[in-house]
Amino acid sequence: MDFIQYEVKGAVGIITISREKALNALNSKVLEELDAALDAVNLEEVRCLILTGAGEKSFVAGADIGEMSTLTKAEGEAFGKKGNDVFRKLETFPIPVIAAINGFALGGGCEISMSCDMRICSDNAIFGQPEVGLGITPGFGGTQRLARLVGAGMAKQMIYTARNIKAPEALRIGLVNAVYTQEELMPAAEKLAATIAKNAPIAVRNCKKAINDGLEADMDDAIVIEEKLFGDCFESEDQKYGMAFFLDKNKEKVKEPFQNK
Ligand code: DAK
């Protein structure tokens, strides 16, 4: 692949968007390669993903403005669909995805980070939805996901003003969970991912599905979604092992890794 790097460290997969010359802006090729990279993740082996950008300046500086500038209506729709499909694939990916935001996260960059399960960033990160300054609306889910994450009032302010915000403000409004120095960011992301990967994988996947699907339902239906996914866990060997381990009073025992079964 030209623009996507993929590396596996233990049970953690790291996808790096690598188009540094254009601050990792998303063109069609990047979106196609990201889609293919997600399809290629071995879910037997990998239990948590990290998504980051190459270099020290930018996570993703948005959709590629050069490519978008000449699109016809039909091409614009096709480009939008390509982006939305891959963003939705990330959002509903069976295992958790952590966005490690190492600089600019503008437009489509902010939007792709919001398709991930959680966001942590470096102290030079800058977030924004500059689309209205370009004559368009956010097109990769920004109007929807930002309002769900930080509340409608703050989302509307960011989107209508097209004003960028820095890492401390992103932390304050709940857009990111934590801020680190550049050097600390990837170690922190890997530590967080490894902590998640140590837990029972089927239970973690079911939690992701319960939270995502439940947020789209009313509370009565959401509770039923949770009940079903809770029940599913009792068909897993990991549930039997996890509870038996807790109940076994042998002080010498050492917990084995969960088997993903
Ligand atoms: N697209 C293409 N190239 C980009 C880019 C982008 N979004 N951002 C940066 N670059 C390129 C620059 O053109 C420059 O290329 P060269 O001139 O060296 O060839 C190189 O990256 C370095 O950028 P700068 O020289 O500008 O670097 P600075 O440090 O001076 O400035 C910056 C960094 C991030 C503040 C600045 O580059 C900037 O403002 N970039 C644009 C940020 C932006 O407006 N992003 C939002 C794009 S709109 C849709 C779905 C989604 C979308 C639209 C439609 N549909 C459903 C149809 C999404 C839209 C967006 O994301």
Side-chain angles (χ1 to χ4, degrees):
M1 289 194 186
D2 295 328
F3 298 128
I4 298 290
Q5 293 160 7
Y6 182 58
E7 180 188 4
V8 176
K9 289 188 176 176
V12 176
I14 305 173
I15 294 181
T16 305
I17 298 175
S18 184
R19 192 183 169 222
E20 221 177 317
K21 276 199 293 193
L23 303 183
N24 305 321
L26 303 171
N27 62 13
S28 300
K29 186 96 192 303
V30 174
L31 292 170
E32 280 159 18
E33 289 189 5
L34 179 58
D35 191 54
L38 289 171
D39 286 344
V41 172
N42 178 356
L43 293 170
E44 294 297 317
E45 163 192 38
V46 173
R47 298 181 182 183
C48 190
L49 273 185
I50 298 170
L51 179 70
T52 193
E56 295 191 342
K57 189 169 169 184
S58 183
F59 170 68
V60 170
D64 190 296
I65 299 172
E67 182 176 340
M68 280 191 299
S69 64
T70 56
L71 296 182
T72 61
K73 181 173 185 292
E75 288 166 345
E77 279 174 16
F79 180 69
K81 178 162 168 42
K82 198 174 277 182
N84 278 322
D85 286 354
V86 68
F87 283 31
R88 191 76 183 126
K89 187 175 277 188
L90 263 178
E91 188 166 44
T92 59
F93 206 63
I95 57 175
V97 185
I98 299 167
I101 300 155
N102 54 312
F104 291 113
L106 301 176
C110 187
E111 289 170 305
I112 200 170
S113 80
M114 293 190 290
S115 300
C116 299
D117 292 272
M118 58 199 91
R119 287 145 295 285
I120 60 176
C121 73
S122 54
D123 50 15
N124 66 328
I126 294 188
F127 298 81
Q129 296 291 160
E131 286 86 349
V132 294
L134 294 166
I136 55 176
T137 59
F140 288 149
T143 57
Q144 304 309 308
R145 294 194 181 97
L146 189 59
R148 283 168 171 77
L149 268 173
V150 304
M154 193 56 80
K156 286 175 175 175
Q157 184 170 320
M158 278 180 69
I159 291 170
Y160 300 170
T161 62
R163 189 179 68 84
N164 292 342
I165 62 169
K166 294 183 177 167
E169 191 172 353
L171 180 65
R172 187 175 60 75
I173 66 174
L175 184 53
V176 298
N177 292 358
V179 181
Y180 299 93
T181 63
Q182 277 274 359
E183 302 72 52
E184 289 170 332
L185 178 66
M186 283 312 288
E190 287 175 29
K191 192 171 166 200
L192 179 59
T195 304
I196 293 168
K198 254 195 276 170
N199 288 321
I202 293 168
V204 171
R205 286 180 186 213
N206 282 12
C207 289
K208 172 166 178 169
K209 192 162 170 46
I211 293 169
N212 280 1
D213 293 357
L215 281 172
E216 287 168 16
D218 67 36
M219 189 53 85
D220 289 324
D221 292 339
I223 286 298
V224 174
I225 291 170
E226 186 183 78
E227 281 164 14
K228 288 196 185 320
L229 289 160
F230 173 77
D232 273 0
C233 295
F234 289 83
E235 289 187 325
S236 73
E237 289 178 24
D238 286 343
Q239 173 273 327
K240 290 174 186 54
Y241 173 71
M243 290 194 178
F245 184 86
F246 175 80
L247 294 171
D248 183 349
K249 298 298 174 203
N250 173 7
K251 297 269 183 298
E252 306 300 312
K253 68 189 169 171
V254 177
K255 198 166 186 180
E256 300 293 330
F258 285 109
Q259 293 300 305
N260 204 5
K261 282 189 203 150

